[in-house]
Structure formats: structure tokens, C-alpha cells
Amino acid sequence: MLMVNVHCRVMEKRKLLGVTILILVLAVYLVQNPNFSTLQLREKLKDKVIVICGASSGIGERIAYKYAAAGAKIVLSARSLDRLAKVQTKCSTLGASSVHIIPQDFSKLTGIENFRNNVLEIHSSIDTLVLNHAAIPLGPWIALPNQQDHQFTTRTFNINVLSYIELTRVFLPDLEITSGQIQVTGSISGWCPFYQAGLYTSTKHAVNGFFYSLQQELLAKQSPITLTVFTLGLILTPEMDTLISSETDTALIPDLFKGKVDECADVIVSSALTRPRNVDYPIFSVKSNRFMAYVFPYFHELATFTYGLSYDDIVQTHERIRKLGDKIGYQLGNK
């Protein structure tokens, strides 16, 4: 009996030690990404040439404002000329050295070479390429025949994956000259399958596959280019907040599991100074999901039991969200 009690106490101490080590590891693992003051950013980024794809709204718009406040030379691109013009005006008032707009539909890959030429006609060099544009088709794939259409699938992959690769290809020689940076906004959907957005999830897996491989290649080549991949969780842009709050109160979502759009932009722009290869935001949400995907690769199957809605209810919910997205002009890619 004495030996049993001693063994139990030893096991309890080991468990306590294990928990303590786990907490310490998590504390290091969850360290926040550093942010810098506007003055610090201006010291390093003034007159740098920043090309931002997907700059007309959401995260891309806020990234543009942060770079503008740092005195950068900015080239804005997206489909909507009207929206880009509004972002251009605000960037100018915030202190950008210069702001140009080049409207571009990135679903058409044949125009990307010309896009690069247009950028270099304005500026003779480029320091940072921000790949942020995206189509976000939502809803269960089986229930949405329009998402099963070959042209729809091709368009989604053109925007979310192939245009990223093509933009990287055409700008790579220019970024080599300036020891520049490529900033890629990825998603936790690229790590954890999500059955309510199958096409979007698959494109983000493809983005991870290509750009993490490219990171290895740049390192092996000893290239001066820094490639930073941002794994983003739920970011409450005004548009996304409107869509989600139409079905549920976003205040009920714990702060650990949602990110603020301005803070997200701060993290992305600050990386132009720190040059990391990988950044997660929001920290806890993304890293906990990534950890679960590593230790329990099939944990995503549990998602089908946690929503509290039937499959048909989810289909109807996404149909309402899609209609609202169309109404407010948010690019969901469902048409």
C-alpha cells in the first residue's frame, strides 16, 4: 500500500510538472507580434514602394492606411475604381508620399504581366508586394449547384491562388533588386478544413502549399527577398461584422477568437520592419487551432457537432448571408 501511495504522489508531481511546462511553452508560443509607433514606421518605410492588391475594402484598405501614415509610396489595386478612389483620397490625407490606383480584375490572369508593367511605369522599383485580394464563397458545396460549376471554381482559384502565384512570378526579379518583401494574407482555413466554405478552404490550403514551399526555395537560394505568410482567423472587418451579426451577436464571440481589423493591419505593416516568415493573428485562436490540427489531425470532424444547426439550417443561413453580402456589395464570390 505504501508503494502504491508513493507511486501516486510521484505521478501527481509529474502531472503537475507536465502542466507547468505546458503552460510555460504556451506562454512563449503565444507571445504577441510586436507593433511599432507611426514615427518608427515612418523612419523605416517612408518613400518605400508598396503595392497592395485587394485594397478597396476590409483588411487591404486598413493596410493601405497604415502604410500611408508611414509615408510610403502606395499603389492600390482592386476591381472597383470608385472604392479605390475613396481609399486613395484618405491615404493622401494620412501622409502617403504618393498614391496611385490601378484597377485590376485578378480573375483574369492574362492581365497580370501588364499590371506589373503599369506599376513600374509609375515607380522604377517595388519594395513590398501585398497579396490580399480574395473571393470568399460561403456555404456547403453540395447544396449550392452554382459553386459546383466549372467556371465558378476556375474563377475562385484564379483569384485566390493562381493570381497570387502569377503576381509573385512577375514581381520576383524586381523584389530581388530591392531585397523586398512579399506579404501573403492566408487563413486558418488553410490548416483546418471547414465544410461551410469548401472552395475557399481549398484555395487557402493551396496558398499554404505553394508559399511555404517557396519560402524553402528562397532560403535555399539565399535570396534577399522575405516572404511572410499571415495566418488569419476571424477578422471583424465592418463588412464581415455586418454579415455575421445578421445571424448572431458578434459580442457573444469571445475576444480570443476574433481579431480587430485595425490591429490586424498593424501586425501586417509592422512585419515590414521585423521581416518574419510566419505570423498568426489573432494569436490564441490561430495557434490553438493549428496545435489541434497537429496533435489531432481529424479534430475538424467535431465541427459538425458543435454548431447546433442542421445541415438544412446552415444552408438557409448562408443563403441569407449571401443575399446580404450582395446588398452591401461585399465580395463573397457566390455569383
Side-chain angles (χ1 to χ4, degrees), residues 85-296:
K86 292 178 181 178
V87 178
Q88 180 186 35
T89 299
K90 186 165 182 178
C91 284
S92 297
T93 62
L94 287 171
S97 294
S98 67
V99 191
H100 293 82
I101 57 178
I102 303 177
Q104 185 73 28
D105 181 353
F106 289 112
S107 69
K108 298 176 173 58
L109 304 180
T110 54
I112 290 179
E113 187 85 48
N114 191 52
F115 173 75
R116 178 257 180 191
N117 294 336
N118 289 337
V119 170
L120 294 181
E121 284 180 5
I122 298 169
H123 302 290
S124 59
S125 64
I126 173 176
D127 294 289
T128 301
L129 174 64
V130 182
L131 301 176
N132 171 73
H133 54 288
I136 312 176
L138 299 178
W141 182 79
I142 294 174
L144 300 172
N146 66 308
Q147 288 198 19
Q148 299 170 29
D149 180 76
H150 170 71
Q151 292 183 344
F152 183 90
T153 302
T154 299
R155 178 177 179 275
T156 302
F157 271 81
N158 280 352
I159 295 171
N160 290 9
V161 183
L162 298 182
S163 68
Y164 280 41
I165 296 174
E166 184 68 2
L167 283 160
T168 300
R169 181 187 70 81
V170 299
F171 279 110
L172 211 59
D174 308 302
L175 291 165
E176 286 273 356
I177 295 171
T178 60
S179 299
Q181 183 184 26
I182 303 172
Q183 298 179 334
V184 180
T185 56
S187 170
I188 190 59
S189 296
W191 292 85
C192 307
F194 184 44
Y195 82 96
Q196 297 186 46
L199 281 182
Y200 177 74
T201 295
S202 61
T203 61
K204 290 305 181 181
H205 273 74
V207 164
N208 279 355
F210 177 79
F211 284 101
Y212 285 131
S213 295
L214 182 60
Q215 274 186 345
Q216 296 175 57
E217 190 171 345
L218 292 172
L219 289 169
K221 184 176 177 289
Q222 297 185 335
S223 169
I225 297 174
T226 301
L227 170 55
T228 304
V229 179
F230 299 89
T231 302
L232 305 180
L234 173 61
I235 310 298
L236 287 181
T237 63
E239 298 88 354
M240 186 59 72
D241 195 14
T242 298
L243 294 177
I244 294 176
S245 62
S246 69
E247 296 295 329
T248 185
D249 184 0
T250 53
L252 298 177
I253 303 174
D255 288 341
L256 286 173
F257 293 96
K258 59 187 178 184
K260 300 175 182 177
V261 63
D262 282 323
E263 190 172 76
C264 179
D266 277 334
V267 168
I268 291 172
V269 174
S270 293
S271 80
L273 273 61
T274 57
R275 296 294 191 100
R277 287 191 285 274
N278 307 286
V279 176
D280 296 335
Y281 179 83
I283 295 288
F284 180 82
S285 173
V286 172
K287 290 190 182 297
S288 60
N289 274 276
R290 195 198 297 275
F291 177 77
M292 286 298 294
Y294 178 76
V295 300
F296 183 27

Side-chain angles (χ1 to χ4, degrees), residues 6 24 31-33 52 71 89-90 120 179 183 186 202 207 256 279 302 305 311 335:
V6 170
L24 291 174
V31 170
Q32 291 285 346
N33 303 301
I52 306 171
T89 299
K90 186 165 182 178
L120 294 181
S179 299
Q183 298 179 334
S202 61
V207 164
L256 286 173
V279 176
L302 300 175
F305 303 104
Y311 187 81
K335 286 187 175 180

Side-chain angles (χ1 to χ4, degrees), residues 287-326:
K287 290 190 182 297
S288 60
N289 274 276
R290 195 198 297 275
F291 177 77
M292 286 298 294
Y294 178 76
V295 300
F296 183 27
Y298 309 111
F299 92 100
H300 62 274
E301 294 176 1
L302 300 175
T304 57
F305 303 104
T306 58
Y307 289 109
L309 294 174
S310 70
Y311 187 81
D312 289 340
D313 287 337
I314 288 173
V315 172
Q316 293 174 10
T317 296
H318 279 292
E319 178 62 18
R320 291 192 295 269
I321 289 175
R322 182 193 66 78
K323 290 180 178 179
L324 178 58
D326 291 341

